[in-house]
């Protein structure tokens, strides 16, 4: 617990969401591909990560096609019928899951909550962006299935003021599931998705009788950067 509050040094700098496009442009212009090219010249296979270049997110989405297959195999082994899957995703994660579900004709409702107020591709909705990524993924994997925007459910209601800005609902979700389930959420991604799920259950928008899988996509190191904002030190002292 103590390590959670202050075990690692961390510094967080907030960016206005409006600056994200400018930041991406700067990163794209300053990216140095010389090392990657040198490795390729040696006959090595190189993958350049997505920062500053979102043109090949379909490849990233392929990982979540496999993740969906693994999830369904585990559910089948447990005799569990999944009705809904909830997660935080702004692009590739939900895209991979969506194309996999459609290809397998699995009757599972997939609901995403983005961490960003706007998609990575300017001028598109999240549904349009994820459709394009999912279809690129399908092409890479040689699948005939294609997504349409109507296949995508992505709720921007729970993003709040912007990326990495903690909301009251996300804070409540972190405390609730931490106290009742022993599950640690992060303030940037998973807490906002859980806040959406909790709100839907409370409002009767999601069936209480169904089997819902909450896909935890990580982000726990962010807790160190938000220790003061979350009052983790005070919480530890109060409970100690």
């Amino acid at each position: 617990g103590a390590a959670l509050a202050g075990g690692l040094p961390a510094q967080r700098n907030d960016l206005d969401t409006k600056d994200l496009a400018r930041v991406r442009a700067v990163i794209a212009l300053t990216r140095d591909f010389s090392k990657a090219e040198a490795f390729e010249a040696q006959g090595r296979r190189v993958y350049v990560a997505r920062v500053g270049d979102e043109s090949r997110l379909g490849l990233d989405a392929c990982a979540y096609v496999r993740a969906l297959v693994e999830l369904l195999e585990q559910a089948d082994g447990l005799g569990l019928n999944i009705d809904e899957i909830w997660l935080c995703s702004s692009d590739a994660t939900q895209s991979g899951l969506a194309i996999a579900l459609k290809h397998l004709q699995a009757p599972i409702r997939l609901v995403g909550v983005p961490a960003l107020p706007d998609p990575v591709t300017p001028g598109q909705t999240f549904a349009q962006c994820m459709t394009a990524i999912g279809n690129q993924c399908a092409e890479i994997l040689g699948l005939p299935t294609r997504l349409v925007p109507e296949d995508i459910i992505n709720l921007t209601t729970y993003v709040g003021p912007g990326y990495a800005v903690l909301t009251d609902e996300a804070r409540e979700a972190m405390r609730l599931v931490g106290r009742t389930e022993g599950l640690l959420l992060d303030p940037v991604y998973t807490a906002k998705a859980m806040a959406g799920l909790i709100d839907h259950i409370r409002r009767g928008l999601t069936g209480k009788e169904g089997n819902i899988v909450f896909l935890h996509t990580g982000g726990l190191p962010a807790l160190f950067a938000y220790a003061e904002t979350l009052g983790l030190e005070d919480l530890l002292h109060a409970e100690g």
Side-chain angles (χ1 to χ4, degrees):
L4 186 65
L8 291 175
Q11 181 177 357
R12 175 171 59 90
N13 297 307
D14 292 333
L15 284 175
D16 189 315
T17 303
K18 296 178 181 177
D19 291 336
L20 288 178
R22 178 175 59 81
V23 171
R24 288 194 189 99
V26 170
I27 292 174
L29 289 172
T30 57
R31 293 180 81 194
D32 183 1
F33 292 96
S34 60
K35 187 171 292 294
E37 291 169 353
F39 281 132
E40 287 178 337
Q42 296 171 15
R44 301 171 70 175
R45 297 180 64 185
V46 179
Y47 173 67
V48 180
R50 62 172 286 181
V51 179
D53 178 14
E54 278 91 20
S55 64
R56 294 289 291 172
L57 290 183
L59 185 59
D60 296 47
C62 291
Y64 274 93
V65 171
R66 183 67 186 89
L68 189 279
V69 172
E70 181 178 347
L71 175 61
L72 294 183
E73 288 175 345
Q74 291 178 358
D76 184 61
L78 294 171
L80 177 69
N81 291 319
I82 300 173
D83 297 294
E84 298 185 22
I85 298 174
W86 280 69
L87 74 155
C88 179
S89 177
S90 302
D91 41 64
T93 304
Q94 186 171 352
S95 301
L97 295 172
I99 191 67
L101 283 170
K102 187 168 186 178
H103 182 71
L104 295 173
Q105 300 181 355
I108 298 173
R109 184 171 182 258
L110 178 66
V111 183
V113 174
L116 299 168
D118 301 297
V120 295
T121 306
Q124 290 190 356
T125 65
F126 279 105
Q128 292 170 335
C129 177
M130 292 181 182
T131 295
I133 295 170
N135 290 340
Q136 185 183 67
C137 171
E139 291 177 6
I140 293 171
L141 296 176
L143 303 178
T145 308
R146 293 295 181 269
L147 294 172
V148 294
E150 290 73 24
D151 294 323
I152 305 296
I153 302 174
N154 195 265
L155 310 175
T156 59
T157 311
Y158 306 98
V159 177
Y163 177 77
V165 180
L166 183 64
T167 64
D168 290 339
E169 295 80 7
R171 185 193 301 272
E172 183 203 3
M174 293 178 70
R175 289 181 177 270
L176 177 62
V177 301
R179 186 177 66 251
T180 60
E181 302 293 337
L183 178 64
L184 296 179
L185 303 177
D186 80 282
V188 181
Y189 303 101
T190 53
K192 292 188 177 181
M194 181 61 78
L197 174 55
I198 291 171
D199 182 52
H200 273 235
I201 292 173
R202 286 173 174 170
R203 293 163 58 196
L205 300 176
T206 294
K208 294 182 180 180
E209 302 302 321
N211 294 316
I212 301 173
V213 170
F214 181 80
L215 189 62
H216 196 306
T217 50
L220 294 182
L223 284 171
F224 296 106
Y226 285 79
E228 183 177 347
T229 302
L230 294 169
L232 295 183
E233 288 283 3
D234 294 337
L235 183 64
L236 288 171
H237 290 312
E239 295 185 355

